[in-house]
Amino acid sequence: MSAEPLTYADTDAMDLKQKQAAYHDWEAASYEEKFSISYDERCIEYAVDRLRKVVPADATFERVLEVGAGTGFFTINLALGGALEGATLEATDISQGMLDVCERNGREHGLAITTTQGDAEALPYEDGSFDLVIGHAFIHHLPVPGKAIQEMYRVLAPGGRLVIAGEPTHYGDRISHLVKHNTWRVFMGVTRLPGLSSWRKPSSGSHTEDRDAVLAALEDQVDLHTFRPDDVEHMAKLAGFGEVEVVTEELTANWFGWSVRTIEASVRPGLLGPRWAFFAFDNYKRLTALDEKVLRRFVPRGLFYNLILHARKPA
Ligand SMILES: C[S@@+](CC[C@H](N)C(=O)[O-])C[C@H]1O[C@@H](n2cnc3c(N)ncnc32)[C@H](O)[C@@H]1O
């Protein structure tokens, strides 16, 4: 990554795809820490559960592609969980910085992942090259995901499956903003009490136009969140997919998760110890069970935070 000076005028002049690449190249080094990404039981269970929600456990794959793969979180954890046994693994992303980390992560876990930098809306692969195409937390970066879904359809072989998980829904995302904002306000209020101000993370000072600040400011421009579950279902059908299913998940678990992440981002480093991590993970799992077993029956699916799209190309 170049360390040349960059100004707000430079990023204003970029088109959306250049912004996506610049922001994610910059974010690649800190991305996994920011989202608590790991390659262990916790994330393996998460990844495999997402796949198993929509694809039966006896399905096998020979050629797997992840689009918008980032640092390889989804592919690597699925492979470590045995869900991609024997398959060749490919990954593409608009950000070369992310793919460099992805390849390195793959190597560290004994996986050969072939990476090719490219745009999801013009995938650099031949028609019918894969029998499973996956994605995680990336179509919310596309203004209209329909074009990328058409491309994923094109590169799938007949009978192939598409699984895209971890995608924030339109209303789910709006609710999460309220949760984050209110958690932050409560935290700031509590830490104004006598003796508690030391809980706050020390300010890093103001830097108006340094390279990091300019790139960090792109975050609001690259996170688009413009779809509802019905829209995604419709786009998959329009692309030609036969079986199409959209499952939504995480309601209270997500509100809790964003509160936890907001507090973690606001407190002095080192203040929250392993007991906090246990508290957070344990309660997240309990609330996930509440969402799945109870609330799913009453609450409209569009209010849940995440969606999983599963679609199958006709054989
Ligand atoms: C939030 S990250 C998710 C990464 C990874 N899938 C994960 O779950 O950790 C979104 C990724 O989408 C990529 N991306 C954004 N726009 C893209 C596009 N038009 N084509 C391909 N990748 C894109 C970004 O570079 C970034 O790596």
Side-chain angles (χ1 to χ4, degrees):
M1 206 181 350
S2 133
E4 282 169 21
L6 193 74
T7 65
Y8 290 106
D10 294 331
T11 53
D12 281 350
M14 292 177 178
D15 66 25
L16 179 61
K17 286 179 184 165
Q18 290 168 324
K19 287 179 184 177
Q20 294 286 359
Y23 176 77
H24 289 102
D25 278 348
W26 169 77
E27 197 191 29
S30 57
Y31 178 78
E32 299 202 317
E33 193 187 338
K34 176 174 171 190
F35 289 102
S36 303
I37 286 179
S38 53
Y39 301 94
D40 56 12
E41 201 184 324
R42 179 180 62 94
C43 287
I44 291 171
E45 184 184 323
Y46 168 85
V48 174
D49 282 356
R50 303 284 79 61
L51 188 74
R52 292 288 168 254
K53 269 200 161 178
V54 289
V55 174
D58 59 0
T60 55
F61 308 101
E62 286 176 18
R63 297 157 300 165
V64 176
L65 169 69
E66 180 168 1
V67 183
T71 59
F73 160 73
F74 202 34
T75 294
I76 296 173
N77 280 304
L78 283 174
L80 294 177
L84 307 179
E85 204 66 58
T88 58
L89 305 176
E90 301 234 6
T92 184
D93 197 289
I94 205 162
S95 155
Q96 184 59 50
M98 285 284 194
L99 290 177
D100 292 343
V101 181
C102 176
E103 262 190 50
R104 194 182 67 217
N105 281 338
R107 270 197 309 276
E108 281 172 9
H109 292 92
L111 301 167
I113 305 176
T114 307
T115 63
T116 311
Q117 192 266 341
D119 178 4
E121 297 189 335
L123 288 173
Y125 303 99
E126 302 283 318
D127 296 2
S129 303
F130 302 96
D131 47 17
L132 175 66
V133 172
I134 56 177
H136 183 269
F138 100 96
I139 61 170
H140 65 277
H141 290 292
L142 309 172
V144 186
K147 181 77 181 76
I149 293 174
Q150 280 171 18
E151 275 294 276
M152 294 188 259
Y153 178 89
R154 179 183 67 73
V155 302
L156 272 171
R161 294 174 190 268
L162 170 66
V163 176
I164 301 178
E167 294 295 345
T169 61
H170 180 78
Y171 292 115
D173 182 58
R174 267 160 185 67
I175 299 170
S176 79
H177 278 285
L178 283 177
V179 171
K180 283 182 249 182
H181 181 65
N182 286 311
T183 306
W184 181 79
R185 286 183 55 177
V186 170
F187 177 81
M188 295 312 269
V190 168
T191 53
R192 260 185 220 112
L193 294 172
L196 299 187
S197 64
S198 64
W199 286 10
R200 286 190 203 165
K201 189 185 221 168
S203 158
S204 55
S206 67
H207 40 196
T208 46
E209 189 123 336
D210 73 28
R211 189 183 168 82
D212 284 344
V214 170
L215 287 164
L218 286 176
E219 182 169 17
D220 287 342
Q221 298 177 51
V222 299
D223 267 346
L224 302 170
H225 307 292
T226 56
F227 47 81
R228 297 154 181 82
D230 290 354
D231 299 335
V232 177
E233 211 168 81
H234 188 59
M235 286 176 216
K237 286 184 181 155
L238 274 183
F241 283 102
E243 297 164 34
V244 177
E245 165 187 28
V246 174
V247 177
T248 57
E249 52 183 8
E250 289 193 24
L251 188 73
T252 58
N254 181 263
W255 304 342
F256 176 74
W258 276 117
S259 304
V260 165
R261 254 169 270 158
T262 304
I263 292 170
E264 287 172 353
S266 311
V267 297
R268 181 165 46 80
L271 190 71
L272 306 170
R275 285 175 65 187
W276 167 268
F278 177 78
F279 156 83
F281 187 52
D282 191 49
N283 282 296
Y284 175 80
K285 287 188 79 164
R286 282 172 203 272
L287 292 171
T288 301
L290 173 74
D291 295 344
E292 285 296 306
K293 293 187 182 135
V294 184
L295 298 176
R296 151 173 315 289
R297 289 191 243 141
F298 312 107
V299 180
R301 69 174 184 163
L303 297 182
F304 281 71
Y305 183 71
N306 270 327
L307 67 75
I308 306 175
L309 165 67
H310 172 229
R312 206 151 183 205
K313 187 165 180 170

